[in-house]
Structures are given as structure tokens and as C-alpha cells.
Amino acid sequence: MTALPPNGPDGPDEPAPLSDRDRAVLAVERQSWAGPGAKERAIRERLGISPTRYYQLLNALLDDRRALAEDPVTVNRLRRVREARRGRR
């Protein structure tokens, strides 16, 4: 019987890949939304979570290097938006 390396199946330096849910969150952010409420409806229908939970997950993803590697355009755009909002506070 072969034991797995201590930090995951890909070795000590390889982080686990993004989950399907994390990829789905990024996919929602890649889309544009027409009209108020459309995005929130899609979050509930596609992901089965509340918009509040969605934004908590999204914010954590913006700090995750795996998300940056998966979708650098979306993650960098959202990081810029987040920083602009922080700058206005």
C-alpha cells in the first residue's frame, strides 16, 4: 500500500485544485448581468447558496493563488474593484 505525500496527492508544493464550487463562483463573476436581481437569482439557482455566502466565498477566492492561476483576468479585475472600494472608505 502506497501512502500519499503529507500535503496532498500532488506533493508538498502543489496545492489542491479549486473545488467545483469555487470554479462556479468564478464563472458567475465572468458573466455580465442585465437588470437588478438577475445575478442574485442565478447565485441561488446555480450554486444553491445565499448571495451573502457567495460574496464571502468570492472575497476569499480573490486572495487564493489557485484562483488567480485559474482565471487571472477575472481575479485581477475583481481585486482592482475591491481595492477601489477600500480606497473610498
Side-chain angles (χ1 to χ4, degrees):
M1 185 153 114
T2 305
L4 291 175
N7 292 330
D10 297 325
D13 294 331
E14 288 295 319
L18 287 178
S19 69
D20 290 340
R21 181 179 67 180
D22 291 342
R23 284 189 184 90
V25 168
L26 291 174
V28 168
E29 281 304 312
R30 278 193 298 271
Q31 291 186 265
S32 60
W33 301 97
K39 183 176 182 180
E40 286 73 16
R41 253 188 326 276
I43 291 167
R44 289 184 190 281
E45 291 171 3
R46 292 182 193 175
L47 303 175
I49 59 176
S50 72
T52 300
R53 181 66 181 139
Y54 169 84
Y55 287 110
Q56 290 169 342
L57 293 170
L58 178 62
N59 196 48
L61 275 173
L62 296 183
D63 296 324
D64 189 328
R65 64 186 172 128
R66 298 171 304 163
L68 182 61
E70 178 86 19
D71 191 348
V73 172
T74 301
V75 171
N76 282 323
R77 176 180 56 84
L78 293 170
R79 284 178 174 179
R80 285 190 302 272
V81 169
R82 182 173 68 177
E83 288 304 312
R85 284 186 181 143
R86 285 181 181 166
R88 290 192 297 251
R89 290 183 183 170

